[in-house]
């Protein structure tokens, strides 16, 4: 089997790259370990930056996002019993859309299928060969048969647990990591929205976030021990915690409902450099992870793909390799900006068990600052909507 670009992973990065290349007349094949049903039902991120919305729209997969996603012009910061709004649109001229990642994936898979794109779901034993040569390949098993995909370039879009990153020789790789001693407990709830906009809450008991999915389904998170089990959390205990952390003295209350999904995710910051070696390029979570505070993970994957698409188009249409050569450096500028923002927001909003009372007051002082100084609010808003110059 032969194609121009071999893509490992059908997450947002792999599927979007495949579709953008197709729109520019470049062939690709996507190899995915999980089934279509699995990728289309795994609950993950929910916030799309304006740049992500624009890219999905340009790719022709923005119609449902526009119709069913919710455009938000601001969000609320809750602390010390009060709520203060960050007006994203007034500060930056931009907005965000709340639209679940698995819905983006459904739209992308449908677009690839409609365009007769080649996708293999349920592949096993993916292995990368010959990235130091002009003729790399990917071997894999599908439906019990062994295959080899020959290609010009291999793109590793296989997330944090994939095989691609390890194909770059360890001696050429530098990994940077910070593991946080807390996680997020996520719930899906059948209830009307608690608020018109997202609420990020800092409380001495820990962080909480109120987000949404639709007029009838809400997404909420609260900081927890990453080793905790969802079985330890009855619905009553969850609601008591959410009320304690989010309800305001001004009378706003979280609206309760039937909880139909619970999960716990760990939190870390991670960047692996370089993102390229020979004929292999990494995009998205395969090369970097952010803690979810600030909602950058999915958006960064899309930003990598934008840079990589332009570089591959320059190669195939103009026989230029300069953009491919500069891929890692270009992508890393945005990645480090997002890493810093996510880390900063995580540290400002979460309870650290070993923080002194002095450090806890500093968190509140910083929240007072970003909600009263226009300059500080603008810096936060620019980062949140992804509009900072990099
Ligand atoms: P992924 O979406 O991870 O896609 C990689 C794909 O590659 C997967 O489908 C995987 O099955 C496949 N794959 C892996 N190994 C192989 C292999 N060897 N062969 C073939 N295929 C392979 N971000 C936020 O902003 N907010 C959130 O609330 C949030 N929640 C998250 C919750 C979880 C549990 C996780 C894991 C991530 C979350 N993220 C969140 C991050 C966000 O979802 C990711 O940044 C985003 O999915 C990155 O897209 P990607 O395409 O790079 O990787
Ligand atoms: C959601 C996730 C985030 O990480 C975030 O910062 C905001 C919203 C969500 O899943 O809705």
């Amino acid at each position: 089997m032969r194609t121009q670009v071999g893509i490992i992973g059908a997450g947002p990065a792999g599927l979007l790259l495949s579709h953008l290349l197709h729109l520019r007349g470049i062939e690709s094949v996507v190899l995915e370990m999980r089934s279509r049903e699995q990728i289309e039902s795994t609950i993950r991120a929910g916030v799309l930056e304006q740049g992500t919305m624009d890219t999905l729209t340009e790719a022709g997969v923005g119609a449902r996002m526009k119709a069913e996603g919710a455009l938000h012009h601001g969000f609320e910061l809750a602390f010390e019993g009060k709520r203060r709004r960050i007006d994203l649109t007034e500060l930056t001229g931009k907005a965000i859309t709340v639209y679940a990642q698995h819905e983006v994936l459904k739209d992308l898979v449908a677009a690839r299928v409609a365009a007769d794109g080649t996708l293999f779901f349920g592949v096993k034993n993916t292995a990368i060969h010959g990235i130091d040569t002009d003729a790399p390949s990917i071997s894999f098993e599908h439906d019990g048969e062994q295959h080899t995909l020959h290609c010009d370039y291999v793109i590793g879009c296989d997330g944090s647990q994939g095989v691609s990153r390890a194909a770059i020789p360890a001696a050429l790789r530098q990994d940077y990591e910070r593991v946080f001693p807390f996680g997020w407990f996520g719930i899906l709830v059948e209830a009307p929205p608690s608020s018109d906009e997202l609420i990020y809450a800092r409380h001495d008991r820990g962080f909480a976030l109120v987000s949404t999915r639709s007029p009838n389904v809400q997404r909420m998170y609260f900081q927890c021990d990453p080793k905790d089990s969802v079985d330890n959390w009855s619905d009553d205990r969850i609601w008591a915690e959410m009320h304690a952390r989010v309800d305001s003295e001004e009378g706003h209350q979280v609206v309760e409902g039937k909880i139909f999904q619970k999960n716990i995710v760990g939190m870390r910051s991670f960047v692996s450099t370089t993102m390229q070696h020979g004929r292999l390029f990494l995009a998205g979570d395969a090369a970097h992870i952010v803690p979810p505070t600030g909602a950058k993970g999915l958006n960064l994957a899309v930003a990598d793909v934008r840079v990589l698409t332009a570089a591959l188009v320059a190669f195939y249409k103009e026989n230029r390799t300069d953009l491919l050569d500069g891929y890692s450096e270009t992508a890393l500028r945005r990645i480090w900006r997002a890493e810093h923002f996510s880390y900063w927001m995580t540290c400002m909003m979460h309870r650290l068990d070993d923080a002194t009372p002095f450090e806890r007051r500093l968190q509140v002082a910083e929240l007072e600052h970003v909600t009263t100084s226009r300059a500080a609010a603008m810096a936060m808003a620019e980062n949140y909507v992804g509009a900072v110059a990099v």
Side-chain angles (χ1 to χ4, degrees):
M1 202 183 314
R2 195 187 144 79
T3 191
Q4 291 177 301
V5 180
I7 299 173
I8 308 177
L15 289 169
L16 180 63
L17 177 65
S18 175
H19 200 58
L20 290 174
L21 292 176
H22 159 76
L23 294 174
R24 286 155 183 84
I26 300 166
E27 271 179 25
S28 65
V29 169
V30 179
L31 307 176
E32 167 59 49
M33 189 170 86
R34 295 184 298 156
S35 68
R36 178 172 176 177
E37 293 66 37
Q38 277 174 316
I39 69 159
E40 290 186 347
S41 61
T42 305
I43 306 298
R44 284 191 172 184
V47 171
L48 309 182
E49 294 171 356
Q50 182 102 42
T52 300
M53 295 187 281
D54 294 346
T55 304
L56 294 171
T57 303
E58 280 158 32
V61 291
R64 220 161 55 88
M65 169 191 77
K66 236 177 230 144
E68 294 174 25
L71 193 65
H72 287 212
H73 295 283
F75 63 82
E76 306 252 17
L77 288 170
F79 59 103
E80 302 293 279
K82 58 195 175 194
R83 285 201 194 156
R84 295 293 175 260
R85 182 164 187 262
I86 300 290
D87 189 330
L88 297 171
T89 304
E90 195 267 321
L91 291 162
T92 68
K94 296 188 188 303
I96 53 134
T97 288
V98 182
Y99 185 61
Q101 175 166 333
H102 66 280
E103 301 295 342
V104 174
L105 291 181
K106 281 184 204 166
D107 298 339
L108 283 166
V109 172
R112 294 310 302 126
V113 170
D116 281 334
T118 312
L119 289 118
F120 288 91
F121 288 103
V123 305
K124 290 187 187 140
N125 300 326
T126 322
I128 302 170
H129 313 278
I131 56 171
D132 287 316
T133 72
D134 288 348
S137 62
I138 310 167
S139 59
F140 63 99
E141 210 180 295
H142 184 250
D143 278 348
E145 279 184 37
Q146 191 64 32
H147 301 271
T148 301
L149 175 66
H150 298 277
C151 48
D152 303 323
Y153 289 100
V154 176
I155 315 295
C157 299
D158 47 354
S160 58
Q161 309 298 318
V163 293
S164 302
R165 192 171 59 249
I168 297 181
L172 302 178
R173 255 177 30 225
Q174 167 95 52
D175 290 352
Y176 301 88
E177 186 173 41
R178 165 70 195 261
V179 179
F180 295 94
F182 43 77
W184 277 14
F185 194 117
I187 55 173
L188 279 170
V189 186
E190 257 176 51
S194 294
S195 148
D196 291 340
E197 296 181 332
L198 270 58
I199 306 167
Y200 289 88
R202 181 225 168 260
H203 193 276
D204 282 339
R205 297 182 66 86
F207 169 77
L209 169 60
V210 175
S211 181
T212 185
R213 284 295 177 264
S214 72
N216 312 316
V217 174
Q218 311 312 318
R219 179 72 166 151
M220 302 185 195
Y221 302 92
F222 58 93
Q223 178 182 349
C224 66
D225 179 341
K227 296 190 198 80
D228 207 341
S229 157
V230 293
D231 300 334
N232 294 331
W233 287 82
S234 66
D235 292 9
D236 285 348
R237 188 177 170 209
I238 290 172
W239 289 122
E241 204 57 49
M242 286 301 296
H243 284 302
R245 296 184 190 192
V246 182
D247 289 357
S248 77
E249 285 165 5
E250 294 149 355
H252 306 282
Q253 283 202 346
V254 173
V255 178
E256 294 184 22
K258 182 168 172 264
I259 299 174
F260 61 93
Q261 220 241 25
K262 303 177 185 177
N263 71 322
I264 292 179
V265 289
M267 298 198 19
R268 67 189 177 118
S269 298
F270 173 75
V271 181
S272 182
T273 62
T274 171
M275 292 169 64
Q276 65 194 84
H277 177 67
R279 291 288 180 127
L280 170 66
F281 293 79
L282 306 179
D285 278 17
H288 44 78
I289 300 289
V290 284
T293 336
K296 291 288 151 219
L298 166 61
N299 294 294
L300 270 186
V302 171
D304 286 355
V305 164
R306 271 199 301 266
V307 178
L308 198 49
T309 302
L312 287 164
V313 169
F315 172 75
Y316 282 107
K317 304 296 171 195
E318 299 169 37
N319 206 20
R320 279 167 52 195
T321 57
D322 56 323
L323 296 186
L324 280 171
D325 295 342
Y327 166 68
S328 194
E329 198 185 323
T330 305
L332 281 164
R333 281 199 290 273
R334 175 176 289 270
I335 291 160
W336 277 114
R337 174 86 307 278
E339 287 287 348
H340 173 260
F341 175 66
S342 308
Y343 177 87
W344 169 77
M345 198 165 162
T346 298
C347 293
M348 177 169 71
M349 303 301 298
H350 287 75
R351 178 193 158 88
L352 269 169
D353 284 337
D354 59 359
T356 61
F358 175 79
E359 286 160 332
R360 288 189 185 149
R361 288 304 310 163
L362 287 185
Q363 287 183 313
V364 174
E366 188 146 36
L367 280 160
E368 292 284 2
H369 183 52
V370 294
T371 53
T372 50
S373 154
R374 184 173 171 81
M378 192 172 301
M380 182 174 204
E382 278 186 343
N383 277 283
Y384 194 82
V385 300
V388 252
V390 282

